Every structure is written in C-alpha cells, then in structure tokens.
Amino acid sequence: MFEDFNMELYRTEARWQEGEYTVTRTSVWTAPGCHNGCGVLLYSKNGKLEKIEGDPNAPFNRGRLCLRCINMIEQVYSNDRLKWPLKRVGEKGDNKWQRITWDEAYDIIEAKYNEIKDNHGVESIATLVGTGRNSMWQPAVITRAIFGSPNLCFGFLSGDSCYQPRMTANLIKLGDCVISDCSQTHPLREKNSEWKKPEVIVVWGNNPLVSNGDGFMGHWIVDMMRLGTKLIVVDPALTWLAAKADIWLRGRPGTDAALALGFLNVIINEDLYDHDFVENWTYGFEDLVERVKEYPPEKVADITWIPKDQIVEAARMYAKAKPAAIQWGLAIDMQMAAMEASGAITDLMALTGNIDVPGGNIIQRYAYNRSKKYGSAIEYIPEEMLLKRIGTYESPIHESGYTPFIPPDKLLECLETGRPYPVQMLWLQGTNPIANMAGEAPRVYAAMKKVPFCVVVDLFMTPSAVAFADLVLPAAMSVERDSFRAWWTPLRSIARGAEQYEQSKSDEEIVLDLGKRIRPDRFDKYKDVNEYLTQLLKEDGGVDYDFDTLVERVNDFWDWDYTYQKHEKGLLRSDGQPGFVTPTGLYEFTSPLFDVWGFDMLPKHIEPVEGPYTTPELMREFPLILTTGNRLWGCFHSEHRQLPTMREIHPDPMMDINPQTAKELGINEGDWVWLENRRGRCKQKARFNIGLDPKVVRGEHGWWFPEKEGAEPTLYGVFDSNINNLTTMGVHGPTHYGAPYKSTVCKVYKVTPENDRVSPTEIVTRMGGFSYAKR
Amino acid sequence: MCSNDKGGFVPPDANKLVARCPACKAFNSPKNIKCKKCGADMPKKS
Ligand code: SF4
Ligand SMILES: [Zn+2]
C-alpha cells in the first residue's frame, strides 16, 4: 500500500547528473533542526543547493518531508547566517564583532586552553550541548579528547529532562532502550514477514506529527492508523491524533506516573497480564503487585483528573491488544516524577509481554553500535579527572555512568558559587540556553555572565552568543557536510550536497582542526574528515567498510535491530546467555540498583512541586496550571525564527487557553497577555483552545526575535516572551532526573500600556531580574 | 557488542554497581563490607 509508486522513476544510486543538476541521495540530520534523519534528494547547481525532495527509496520517510526540510533553501542561504568567525570587540552584550580568520580563532582558543590548563586545570572548561543539530558526539570529543575536561552538560536543561529519564528507566529495567515498532527497523517495512501491526498504540506525552522527536517519525503512526491500528492518546491538549483516538485521556500535567500505576492496577487485578513473560523473564513482580494496590482507579482519577471509567477502559484496551506499543515523549521527562513515570510505563510494556515482539516496543541499539553521541571520548578521561566532574557524585545515576552528562542544575550552582571550582571557559555547540532549554532563564543568564571566556559554535547569531561569547564560530548545515547517522537505525550517510556557506565549517572539521593543534598525538593520524569518519565507522567491531562506501550505500539496516525477542536468543548479554543486561539478568519490576542507591525500588506518584495539592496557598495568587513546550510545525525549539516562511506560519508566540477561562479573565482571542508566577513573567498571544482543561494553560517556548536589536538591553527580546522566566532550575525529582517544565502554576492577565512600560528583557539585562526572583 | 567503557549508550557493568550477599542474596552496594540485610561479610572486590 505504501510503495505503490513507479520504482523506475526513482533512482537508487548515491549521486547522478540530472540535466544541469547534480543530485545527491543521502540523509540530513540537523540543521534543518529536528531529531530525524529523513532521506533526501539534494539538487545542486554549481555547488549551490537549489531544491530538495524527499527520497521515495528511503525506507525511513518514503519520500515525505516536513516543512523544515522542504523550506531548507531559505535556511541555508539566509543572509542572517554566520559567515565567518567573529571575535567580540565591545563588552559582552554589545553585539560588536570583528571578522577574523579561522586560524586567528583557533589561536585564541589554543592560547586560552593553555592558560587555563596551566593556571586552573582543564576541568574548569565546561561544554554545553543542545538537542538536535547533530552536534552530539562532536562537542563531546572536543571536550574530552581535545581539552581533556570531563564536564559535558545538557545546557541548561534542568533535571536532564529530555529523554534521559526514559532511556535510563529502560536501561535500568531491561538494560536496553525500546521504541514502538511501526516496522521502521526493517528495510522492507510493513512487508517484512515477521512484523505485525500494533493493534493499539498509546501515544503518551507527545505530539509526534509535529515534533518527530527521538528519531521517531510521527507520520508512521498515521501509516499504522491506515492499517487499522487504534489509538489511545494521553495529552492535556486535543491534538490531531487525540481527535482521531478511540480514547483520549486528558490528564493533569505532571501526573503520568499515577496514570501508569492506575493502568498497572487494572491490568494486574483483572488478570490481563502476560503470565508467560512475567514468570520467565521478570524479577520483583510480587512487589509490584503490592505497590499497585495503592493506586486503585478511583484514586488515580482524583490525582490525574481523568474519569475513572476512562482509565479502566484504556488499561483494558491496551492490555488486550496483541501486540500493542507505547509511543512516548518528552512530557514524561519534564516532571518531578519523570523517572517514576518512565519506570511505570516501561513496566506496562513488560507486564503485557510487548517487549521486543513484532508490533510492540522493540529493543534498539545504535546501528552497528556506531553512534556514541554524548558519551563519546569518555575513554580519554583518566579516573582522577572523572572524579572532578561537577555535581556528579551527588547523583548515583550520574556517578554510575547511566548518563554521560554532568547534572545541569549542579553546573548552574557551580557557576553561581564558584564551588567546587570556578568555571573559566564555556564551550557552547548547538545550544542557545537562555532562549530555549534553560529553566529559570534569567537566573541562568546571570550565572553565565560570570564565566570569563566563552565560545559559541552555531548557525546564526543568537541571544546566548551576544550575551556571553568571546568568539562565535560559523557551523555548516547538514547538506554542507560529510557525516553519518546511527540513531537508531539504519546507518545513514550524511553526504555533502552543496558547498559550504561562506566560511562555515562542519562540526567534524572543527573537531579535526582543533584536535590537530591541541592533541596531535590523538588526531594527526587522520588525514581528513573522511578518514576520521571511516575510523568511527570501523572501530570497536563496527562495519567493515569505509565512509565512501557508506555514502554509496546511502542506508544500511543492521539486522540485529530488526531481530525480535533478542532476550530469548542470547543477543543482549555479553556472555551470550539468554536474558537482559541487568543485575538479575531479568526484566526488573523492582530495581536492585535503586535499592542500593537509596531510591524507592518501585514507581510511585510524586505531586508537582507547585499545584493545587502541594501549594494551595500559592494557587490563590496563581490559580492556573501552566504547561509549556508544545512543538511548532515550522520551528525547532529556538531555531528558524529568522525565516520569513516560518514566521508567516508562526508570527508570534502563542499561549493556549480555554475560552471559558479567557472569558472570565476578560481576554479575547489574539490579545497579548502576561503569564506570570513567583519567578517572573512573559507575554504571549492568547489562542483559544477548547480542548484544554479550563484550569490549565499552555505556553510556547524558544521565542526570541531576530528582527529586534541584538545588543543589550534588547538582546533580541529574548526574555520578553520567554516561558522559562516562569520555570525552575534546581527543582527535580529524587533521582536528580526530571524537572517540572510542564507542570508549574501561573496567572494570566491582559497586557496594557500601563503594565508594559519596561520590557522583561530590560528587567533581566539591566535591572538584575524580576524583583521577586532577585537573589 | 557495545560497551559503555567508550561511551556507548548501554548500561554500565552491573557487577561494578551491585554486589550480592553470599549468605542471603540481598543486593548491596559494592562499597559495603557487611551485608545491609543479614550482616554477613561481603566478598572483597579484587
Ligand atoms: S522530520 Fe522534517 S526536519 Fe526532520 S529530517 Fe525529516 S523532513 Fe527534515
Ligand atoms: Zn545478606
């Protein structure tokens, strides 16, 4: 049904000439800005990209592209792109720069590195990375293999609350990560004879059609729906998928752990679980049985605001469907109970026997184990240097190596207090913290200002670069670089289809340039990026071919990833025995590791830190629950705001409010309103959303205004509509994971000339921040 | 096989994170000298 096109029309080689165009068949990662790696056909003329089409022969996306890739020409050739290295000449925040050469930039970095090494120790260099832009392993290599510092951080994401809780819950419970199986792991897709369609998919805590998060293409769900898959959608908002679902569970933000425990209660009490899997492959089931007794559906209904009957009905529908998959997303990570919710939802997959079965939740590793991403180059850090990692030894999960990051909340404390040692240099690659992921952004702004030296590698000038950077280096985009992608499968080439814009360099080139200067002992052996990529592809039992061969193949599916029931076949453990990579060798409902670390061994509900049941006093002043971070069609996080087409679709930051609530507050649709709480306020435009609970409002993140003045105090208006004026840093779940980005409180009122005399950005950049948040 | 020693996204070696009591089989921190549950001596890590 899906491959009903004339195959002869579409070519399968990697490069060809089509009239005046050179066509490159490859994949992109970011930029354009997203987590996927869709197959593309890049049409270029004289080295310039002229058009881009989806590759019908890429099993991943089968010719489809979303707005961000379709509109990529506008992004690649935007005159706002960084063109050459820039050195700050005014004060930080003045947005005054001098054009310099790459050699001059590297000279400055090398001199600074030597000075820090001699006077402070290389550990006082810390790196911040973002999500997407495929700058994951590259900054990790720069930090660890070149600078020798152990301090790599998700910057600044409170509670590591993006995929780390979900992945770590998977790793602790079953030793590997699982994703919902829409046939994407096999080159033949639905025609793979072993594959089965999921009878039910639970779309939990994300809107995948818009976000395409975590390497999961949202449109696969639509493909499954066309085959007859039924949906249960867990979302506080009425999304397109929720509207098409058999059951839409509109929960109170931040209560997903309770909901999952309610599901577990129904499934166990009604004996709907998979006895075979539970008896043969799991550990601690009896403890789970005891725990779920504390979560009868009535109580879960009170906690989550979802009617009891719907909870029971949804639990039955999921458990009875064979197979069934859970497709989960970021909202699960962005709450106090992130780890607990992630664990409970993973338990649902196990309890119903849906782990690593066709059409269930399939175990994945990076194709051919190639992509080490943020964990790269950790082998270069000696033990005594690892011990200097900031904040790591206050969190057992970080200490034990389940995440390659240092805890962001602890890095912030370190910048503020200078303890355990002052940070002398920040390296930012692919992150724009104050515009995007930093909770309590004004606080992060003040802390980052204290760091003496800062380098930013990015595509465009950003508010973070203006505020903090001494050097800004222009990065190349996907279509201008050679690289590869292995998250999850297939292994995909990222082959250059256009010449690099002005003097931009790819992240890989920057790694090699710096490596050859600072650590020639480690990097002189690579002649060029091509050789370096070949080494990364082949080392430690990887593939037996070089980078050029991958470019020729375009895609390479790893058979391990599409093998089912790997735990039965002895494919998971290094000893080759059946079972999972856990201390017991079984799937662990109760976690011995959690016991050893002093955590609750079983999942539980944790109330949001601010809300009707935790802070009823506060609710008198801030009566609405605020959820943030819903994704936009055209803009990926804080990216794309420079592009006319994207701004035509998303001209202004929008907040969603139930019309009934708006009416009570005297707000009309399209009014500018303030969202405010104890930490600060920001303004967005009101949009009526009938699907939202009247007690819940939703605000967009990532907004800054490239069209405004870049110099402080305006700073591209980065705090004017910044929803992170209201979120937190240093507030996280007991495991150090999960921050309440999606479940805090606020009040909403109209913007008037009287209450809008000084802009929030000016308050932050010139007046020391919002008065109630001043410290 | 993918190993976490070089930053692969697989769990760290469980043997370094937990130790089982030889007497009662309870899971202990490898740092424990005596079992936290039954008090038996924990084997020394080499
Ligand atoms: S999901 Fe969209 S932005 Fe991402 S690679 Fe695919 S088409 Fe491009
Ligand atoms: Zn014991």
Side-chain angles (χ1 to χ4, degrees):
Chain A
M1 122 186 225
F2 300 105
E3 267 101 23
D4 290 342
F5 57 81
N6 182 353
M7 300 293 281
E8 283 171 21
L9 280 177
Y10 302 103
R11 302 175 64 159
T12 52
E13 57 269 52
R15 273 207 176 98
W16 65 89
Q17 202 63 30
E18 201 171 301
E20 43 191 355
Y21 292 115
T22 304
V23 187
T24 305
R25 185 170 159 258
T26 185
S27 72
V28 284
W29 195 350
T30 53
C34 100
H35 284 171
N36 277 350
C38 291
V40 289
L41 305 176
L42 305 173
Y43 288 76
S44 58
K45 208 194 298 177
N46 304 323
K48 201 166 173 229
L49 187 70
E50 298 238 323
K51 66 173 174 163
I52 178 167
E53 286 180 3
D55 174 15
N57 284 315
F60 187 88
N61 57 312
R62 297 188 282 208
R64 302 148 171 161
L65 292 181
C66 81
L67 177 59
R68 292 186 291 252
C69 267
I70 291 171
N71 192 40
M72 212 197 307
I73 311 281
E74 191 174 276
Q75 190 183 23
V76 176
Y77 301 110
S78 163
N79 191 42
D80 281 358
R81 261 189 84 178
L82 291 168
K83 298 176 177 67
W84 33 72
L86 296 172
K87 182 183 157 199
R88 176 170 65 78
V89 286
E91 294 296 312
K92 285 189 183 184
D94 283 355
N95 198 23
K96 291 195 180 126
W97 308 95
Q98 177 194 340
R99 174 180 178 173
I100 56 172
T101 65
W102 276 96
D103 270 335
E104 286 167 330
Y106 289 146
D107 284 345
I108 294 169
I109 293 165
E110 200 179 344
K112 198 74 201 173
Y113 159 78
N114 283 322
E115 184 215 309
I116 290 172
K117 182 165 74 123
D118 295 345
N119 298 322
H120 307 277
V122 289
E123 65 276 13
S124 59
I125 301 172
T127 291
L128 299 175
V129 293
T131 187
R133 210 175 74 59
N134 188 18
S135 47
M136 292 177 159
W137 62 265
Q138 301 89 339
V141 170
I142 289 172
T143 310
R144 298 192 183 110
I146 299 176
F147 295 147
S149 168
N151 287 317
L152 183 83
C153 189
F154 221 157
F156 264 92
L157 188 69
S158 184
D160 287 296
S161 50
C162 173
Y163 212 10
Q164 302 292 307
R166 282 174 291 147
M167 287 173 104
T168 305
N170 278 180
L171 291 178
I172 284 175
K173 286 186 164 285
L174 71 134
D176 272 286
C177 294
V178 293
I179 59 167
S180 46
D181 180 15
C182 297
S183 81
Q184 71 271 27
T185 64
H186 196 281
L188 295 176
R189 299 291 310 262
E190 295 88 348
K191 289 179 183 150
N192 167 22
S193 57
E194 274 189 83
W195 178 78
K196 290 194 188 114
K197 153 196 97 174
E199 292 300 325
V200 165
I201 296 180
V202 185
V203 178
W204 199 320
N206 68 147
N207 188 8
L209 291 186
V210 182
S211 60
N212 292 310
D214 313 328
F216 185 93
M217 193 182 202
H219 216 86
W220 296 334
I221 293 186
V222 180
D223 292 342
M224 296 302 104
M225 290 161 73
R226 290 166 70 194
L227 292 174
T229 297
K230 302 215 175 312
L231 300 185
I232 298 168
V233 172
V234 184
D235 202 305
L238 180 62
T239 61
W240 187 88
L241 287 173
K244 302 278 181 286
D246 275 37
I247 304 176
W248 168 37
L249 302 174
R250 184 177 75 177
R252 177 164 67 99
T255 62
D256 302 83
L259 180 61
L261 282 154
F263 272 39
L264 290 164
N265 175 296
V266 173
I267 294 167
I268 291 173
N269 285 337
E270 299 191 4
D271 196 12
L272 299 173
Y273 62 92
D274 185 320
H275 285 255
D276 182 57
F277 187 82
V278 168
E279 271 151 36
N280 293 313
W281 297 105
T282 70
Y283 170 84
F285 176 64
E286 292 311 319
D287 296 323
L288 181 71
V289 171
E290 284 306 307
R291 174 57 55 91
V292 303
K293 285 182 185 157
E294 297 169 31
Y295 294 90
E298 307 71 38
K299 181 175 162 188
V300 172
D302 288 344
I303 296 172
T304 61
W305 298 354
I306 298 169
K308 178 192 146 197
D309 291 349
Q310 276 191 15
I311 296 168
V312 173
E313 196 194 341
R316 285 180 188 150
M317 183 175 158
Y318 169 66
K320 287 180 183 168
K322 297 288 173 216
I326 298 177
Q327 194 281 330
W328 59 359
L330 185 78
I332 292 156
D333 305 317
M334 291 197 149
Q335 56 184 303
M336 297 297 284
M339 198 63 197
E340 292 70 14
S342 301
I345 295 170
T346 311
D347 286 348
L348 280 169
M349 302 169 192
L351 189 67
T352 53
N354 277 308
I355 285 185
D356 220 26
V357 299
N361 282 88
I362 184 170
I363 291 174
Q364 292 291 281
R365 290 179 186 165
Y366 300 123
Y368 298 97
N369 290 318
R370 284 312 80 201
S371 180
K372 290 177 284 190
K373 287 172 57 181
Y374 301 118
S376 295
I378 201 145
E379 69 273 18
Y380 288 112
I381 305 293
E383 188 64 29
E384 65 272 18
M385 184 53 84
L386 282 179
L387 289 170
K388 295 182 180 172
R389 279 175 294 177
I390 294 163
T392 299
Y393 296 89
E394 293 167 60
S395 161
I397 285 182
H398 289 79
E399 176 182 354
S400 61
Y402 275 89
T403 169
F405 293 120
I406 57 169
D409 301 279
K410 292 287 157 193
L411 178 61
L412 178 61
E413 268 179 39
C414 169
L415 298 194
E416 288 175 336
T417 63
R419 288 193 298 271
Y421 42 81
V423 171
Q424 302 294 337
M425 169 173 162
L426 283 175
W427 182 275
L428 273 65
Q429 196 159 358
T431 182
N432 179 6
I434 55 170
N436 191 50
M437 61 161 75
E440 216 174 339
R443 181 177 162 195
V444 169
Y445 167 84
M448 288 180 75
K449 278 281 191 191
K450 293 183 174 180
V451 180
F453 186 74
C454 174
V455 181
V456 169
V457 187
D458 218 320
L459 305 165
F460 292 87
M461 186 59 79
T462 66
S464 299
V466 171
F468 314 119
D470 295 271
L471 278 179
V472 182
L473 306 178
M477 294 197 14
S478 269
V479 295
E480 302 163 334
R481 73 199 292 194
D482 284 327
S483 192
F484 66 87
R485 175 186 169 104
W487 173 27
W488 303 95
T489 195
L491 185 60
R492 276 156 275 178
S493 73
I494 298 174
R496 194 188 284 215
E499 279 167 20
Q500 287 171 343
Y501 180 71
E502 296 290 345
Q503 289 180 12
S504 62
K505 276 183 189 263
S506 72
D507 298 280
E508 292 76 11
E509 289 171 317
I510 297 171
V511 169
L512 271 197
D513 289 350
L514 273 178
K516 283 172 184 286
R517 273 175 171 256
I518 294 174
R519 289 307 301 247
D521 54 324
R522 290 178 182 159
F523 291 90
D524 264 358
K525 58 185 170 211
Y526 308 116
K527 187 171 86 247
D528 52 24
V529 167
N530 191 304
E531 264 191 28
Y532 183 44
L533 293 172
T534 292
Q535 158 81 6
L536 295 179
L537 286 170
K538 286 186 167 177
E539 67 182 3
D540 303 326
V543 297
D544 58 3
Y545 51 79
D546 59 12
F547 178 69
D548 287 336
T549 308
L550 178 64
V551 171
E552 287 307 310
R553 292 187 185 188
V554 184
N555 295 295
D556 183 0
F557 283 81
W558 187 31
D559 56 356
W560 192 95
D561 270 332
Y562 59 74
T563 305
Y564 293 106
Q565 275 136 336
K566 297 183 258 303
H567 55 289
E568 294 184 10
K569 296 169 183 155
L571 290 174
L572 301 175
R573 300 174 57 88
S574 54
D575 59 13
Q577 294 300 307
F580 296 96
V581 190
T582 58
T584 60
L586 299 166
Y587 177 92
E588 293 176 350
F589 286 118
T590 52
S591 168
L593 274 170
F594 267 33
D595 188 31
V596 164
W597 291 337
F599 301 146
D600 194 332
M601 288 160 65
L602 290 154
K604 64 175 175 214
H605 166 63
I606 302 171
E607 263 300 311
V609 70
E610 290 173 346
Y613 309 120
T614 28
T615 53
E617 285 292 307
L618 195 64
M619 298 302 285
R620 273 189 221 129
E621 197 184 347
F622 305 110
L624 296 165
I625 291 174
L626 170 65
T627 187
T628 73
N630 56 295
R631 301 298 191 248
L632 310 186
W633 289 105
C635 303
F636 183 73
H637 293 300
S638 59
E639 292 187 58
H640 295 112
R641 300 301 192 289
Q642 305 84 358
L643 309 181
T645 304
M646 301 316 196
R647 290 301 289 282
E648 196 180 325
I649 296 158
H650 304 290
D652 299 306
M654 306 299 285
M655 61 81 67
D656 290 290
I657 186 165
N658 186 292
Q660 182 194 322
T661 313
K663 196 173 163 206
E664 285 162 18
L665 296 169
I667 291 166
N668 294 315
E669 188 156 39
D671 283 350
W672 282 96
V673 296
W674 290 110
L675 297 112
E676 177 174 335
N677 68 14
R678 283 194 294 179
R679 286 168 292 279
R681 69 176 187 175
C682 75
K683 58 179 172 184
Q684 305 200 351
K685 246 180 173 174
R687 175 172 57 203
F688 286 179
N689 188 324
I690 198 127
L692 269 187
D693 187 294
K695 295 184 284 301
V696 176
V697 293
R698 191 168 79 158
E700 286 177 357
H701 74 299
W703 276 94
W704 59 290
F705 304 91
E707 66 272 22
K708 290 189 183 173
E709 171 63 43
E712 293 180 0
T714 306
L715 195 57
Y716 299 117
V718 67
F719 295 107
D720 292 351
S721 296
N722 194 332
I723 204 71
N724 282 324
N725 295 347
L726 287 79
T727 57
T728 51
M729 286 294 294
V731 177
H732 48 69
T735 60
H736 263 265
Y737 269 164
Y741 283 89
K742 289 189 184 283
S743 43
T744 180
V745 298
C746 73
K747 65 179 172 184
V748 173
Y749 55 99
K750 249 178 152 162
V751 174
T752 64
E754 295 73 45
N755 68 23
D756 191 23
R757 293 219 167 90
V758 189
S759 76
T761 305
E762 203 168 336
I763 289 172
V764 175
T765 59
R766 284 288 179 267
M767 296 159 71
F770 299 99
S771 58
Y772 24 74
K774 254 186 206 161
R775 50 197 71 231
Chain B
M1 277 296 149
C2 196
S3 135
N4 202 44
D5 301 340
K6 292 181 86 177
F9 226 111
V10 291
D13 183 358
N15 291 322
K16 293 187 189 146
L17 302 174
V18 284
R20 247 179 155 160
C21 167
C24 75
K25 302 281 177 240
F27 288 100
N28 278 260
S29 162
K31 293 173 192 156
N32 291 3
I33 303 164
K34 301 238 178 242
C35 170
K36 63 173 182 184
K37 198 167 165 204
C38 73
D41 287 337
M42 293 293 293
K44 284 202 178 69
K45 286 261 158 186
S46 50

